[in-house]
Amino acid sequence: NNNTDDHDDNSNYCSDNDPIMGEVDVEVGELLKSDNGKEQKFELSTGGTLFVFITESIQGTDRGVLDCQIRGLDVKNIESGLLGLGAVDPYFVISKKENDTKKGTTRHYDVYRSEHVHDIINPFWKPFQIDLERLCNNDVHKQLKITVWDQQDRGEDRWLGEKDTTVAEMMRHVAKRGNADRESALRVEARSEKGDKIDLRALLVILKA
């Protein structure tokens, strides 16, 4: 549903328990001096680098809020434990594609992260609302990516697969046959390093959009 109210509930995008990775002091004016479509780099106090990408926030005419809910089906555990009984704790991240016109490079910037659901291959993630300006620069045909991850208690979270999509495609693929509609679901896939094999990692059922 493309609602026109101004509510933007992204309480699941981050958590008070998330660790602080570092910080940097920068003036807003310094950021705004950047050319549109050019990426800036800042060194963090604890080491590492923060990349800031400045672009026009409104690039289309599709205004409103996306009211969405996604269910996962058959989320694949790619590293099972003893006797194949390992758990998968899946969550998804939506990112939007931006092109650095100066460098000729492309990056994806995260705009929403779901909560992770413990030990389940068919998760129901919570509904969420996100403003179209933040999600897709008011252009429902702007390229997005949905990436599915397996949360790890120790070490880095495990990448499972991804799906390139758009808001328009998500709206077209809203489930018509209930919450297990595999026919309308988006396919989350992983491609081999050589690119000759594609492994289906999960199905994403769009319950509403």
Side-chain angles (χ1 to χ4, degrees):
N1 295 334
N2 183 1
N3 297 331
T4 56
D5 57 33
D6 292 328
H7 178 60
D8 184 4
D9 180 5
N10 281 297
S11 58
N12 290 319
Y13 182 70
C14 59
S15 166
D16 292 337
N17 297 321
D18 289 342
I20 296 175
M21 304 299 293
E23 58 186 20
V24 61
D25 292 326
V26 61
E27 296 289 338
V28 173
E30 183 178 353
L31 293 176
L32 295 180
K33 288 179 183 178
S34 171
D35 294 334
N36 184 59
K38 181 179 179 180
E39 186 178 75
Q40 294 187 79
K41 183 170 67 172
F42 299 94
E43 301 303 321
L44 295 174
S45 59
T46 54
T49 304
L50 174 69
F51 292 92
V52 178
F53 186 86
I54 303 295
T55 187
E56 293 183 17
S57 64
I58 298 177
Q59 300 173 357
T61 58
D62 304 305
R63 302 179 62 85
V65 172
L66 179 70
D67 185 6
C68 186
Q69 184 175 15
I70 298 176
R71 182 193 186 189
L73 288 179
D74 307 328
V75 178
K76 189 172 183 178
N77 184 10
I78 61 173
E79 194 169 323
S80 299
L82 183 63
L83 301 179
L85 298 178
V88 59
D89 305 327
Y91 66 90
F92 69 87
V93 174
I94 300 178
S95 57
K96 62 181 174 183
K97 182 179 180 180
E98 298 288 3
N99 297 313
D100 187 327
T101 56
K102 301 296 182 180
K103 296 181 179 179
T105 58
T106 298
R107 285 183 180 271
H108 283 82
Y109 294 88
D110 296 349
V111 292
Y112 179 80
R113 173 178 170 172
S114 77
E115 77 284 5
H116 80 274
V117 185
H118 181 66
D119 194 10
I120 191 169
I121 63 171
N122 299 318
F124 280 94
W125 289 293
K126 294 179 181 178
F128 64 95
Q129 293 182 323
I130 183 168
D131 190 271
L132 289 182
E133 182 177 345
R134 175 176 176 177
L135 176 62
C136 60
N137 303 113
N138 287 11
D139 179 2
V140 297
H141 299 287
K142 183 179 181 66
Q143 287 296 310
L144 306 175
K145 180 181 290 183
I146 304 178
T147 307
V148 178
W149 295 83
D150 179 12
Q151 169 119 345
Q152 301 295 296
D153 293 332
R154 298 179 180 178
E156 296 183 355
D157 292 348
R158 185 176 297 127
W159 179 88
L160 296 180
E162 59 192 27
K163 166 64 179 174
D164 291 325
T165 188
T166 63
V167 173
E169 182 180 43
M170 292 171 66
M171 295 172 69
R172 289 196 306 270
H173 281 259
V174 171
K176 301 176 180 63
R177 300 179 181 179
N179 59 36
D181 185 358
R182 285 175 167 78
E183 184 175 334
S184 298
L186 302 179
R187 295 171 58 90
V188 175
E189 298 174 335
R191 188 179 295 273
S192 67
E193 292 184 3
K194 294 182 178 180
D196 57 344
K197 295 182 180 179
I198 297 177
D199 186 19
L200 177 63
R201 295 292 176 82
L203 295 173
L204 296 180
V205 181
I206 311 299
L207 299 179
K208 61 177 180 177

